[in-house]
């Protein structure tokens, strides 16, 4: 009997597939649609201290090989999402969920996390250190000193299970340096990767989206090799207690299989979910199960991280 069940820390999930933050997660209605689908969980849109309208539209475009977006963290404020996940957690047989959060400054991040710490929320938190789309705000996790300082301060008061959403890294030295910092902290997981920041897609003579003169985060087919490299690099470098969530370029069961083979414990779907809708989870689960059956794997543990290298 093939199963795509998984765990992150002490949290169990009937399916390893879920949405990526930013897609199908802005409102309760969208989150409910993911919750009622074949997905094993959902993550909320990244909630900030106050509600944000985000960047001017058009700010998302599908492309031949994926997508470009410069949403700019539009969201309804972290309390909206905190209230919803707390409401769900009290329902019988509720799935476990991820609450995505970040402040517009380290101070705001601490205000939010202290409020979550003081709340009755018992689920997982994903701290977004990687949004490339807020004008004037760099992707936090590219600044190792600031990242170290934020994590050090967070873990001085935050005791609930917390992971971080990372931007893609492109250099072996950066994998080493980032992993050395993350290994100092009791992180539940790292999520690899957010979009590849600040790409530019041109159609005829014009950019596709309005914010930042067309610069935006790239998702979809373009980013799978980068995502797999980040998943595997951190799988090899992080303490085994820090699990990996794989995100980037997943639109088939084969893509999900490769993320798990590279070390992912859960797999998130962004661009393809945006294009296909929540029924995608049923299709990709079925495709993943078929691959597992063909190869004689019964559970994710049978092949997670067991990527073969050429001799
Ligand atoms: C956005 O809201 O700009 C996308 C979310 C992210 O990249 O973190």
């Amino acid at each position: 009997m093939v199963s795509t069940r998984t765990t992150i820390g002490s949290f169990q999930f009937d399916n390893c597939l879920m949405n990526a933050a930013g897609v199908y997660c802005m409102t309760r209605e969208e989150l409910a649609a993911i919750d009622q689908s074949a997905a094993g969980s959902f993550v909320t849109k990244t909630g900030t201290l106050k509600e944000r309208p985000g960047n001017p539209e058009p700010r998302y475009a599908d492309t031949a090989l994926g997508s470009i977006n410069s949403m700019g963290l539009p969201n309804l404020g972290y309390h909206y999402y905190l209230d919803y996940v707390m409401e769900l957690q009290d329902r019988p047989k509720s799935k476990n969920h991820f609450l995505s959060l970040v402040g517009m400054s380290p101070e705001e991040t601490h205000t939010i996390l202290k409020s979550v710490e003081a709340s009755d929320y018992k689920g997982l938190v994903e701290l977004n250190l990687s949004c490339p789309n807020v004008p004037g705000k760099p992707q936090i996790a590219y600044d190792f000193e600031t990242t170290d300082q934020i994590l050090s301060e967070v873990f001085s008061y935050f005791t609930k299970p917390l992971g971080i959403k990372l931007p893609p890294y492109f250099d072996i030295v950066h994998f080493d340096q980032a992993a050395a910092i993350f290994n100092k902290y009791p992180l539940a997981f790292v999520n690899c990767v957010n979009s590849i920041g600040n790409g530019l897609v041109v159609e005829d003579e014009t950019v596709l989206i309005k914010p930042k003169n067309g610069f935006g985060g790239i998702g979809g087919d373009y980013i799978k090799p980068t995502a797999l490299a980040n998943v595997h690099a951190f799988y090899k470098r992080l303490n085994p207690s820090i699990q990996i969530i794989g995100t980037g370029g997943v639109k088939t069961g084969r893509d999900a299989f490769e993320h798990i083979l590279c070390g992912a414990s859960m797999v998130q779907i962004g661009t393809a979910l945006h294009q296909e809708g929540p029924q995608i989870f049923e299709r990709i689960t079925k495709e993943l199960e078929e691959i597992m059956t063909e190869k004689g794997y019964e559970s994710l543990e049978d092949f997670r991280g067991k990527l073969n290298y050429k001799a």
Side-chain angles (χ1 to χ4, degrees), residues 141-169:
Y142 282 148
D143 177 343
F144 290 144
E145 215 177 286
T146 302
T147 298
D148 198 2
Q149 192 178 341
I150 289 174
L151 292 177
S152 154
E153 286 167 10
V154 164
F155 284 111
S156 71
Y157 61 83
F158 199 79
T159 61
K160 298 183 180 185
L162 178 134
I164 47 180
K165 177 85 175 267
L166 297 175
Y169 298 101

Side-chain angles (χ1 to χ4, degrees), residues 45 69-74 128 131-133 194-195:
K45 177 66 187 170
N69 89 84
S70 182
M71 303 299 289
L73 292 179
N128 183 356
C131 179
N133 301 328
N194 206 321
S195 58

Side-chain angles (χ1 to χ4, degrees), residues 191-216:
N191 184 343
C192 309
V193 293
N194 206 321
S195 58
I196 296 182
N198 296 300
L200 196 54
V201 179
V202 178
E203 203 170 68
D204 191 14
E205 296 183 28
T206 312
V207 299
L208 284 190
I209 55 172
K210 179 165 180 173
K212 296 170 67 180
N213 290 338
F215 283 61

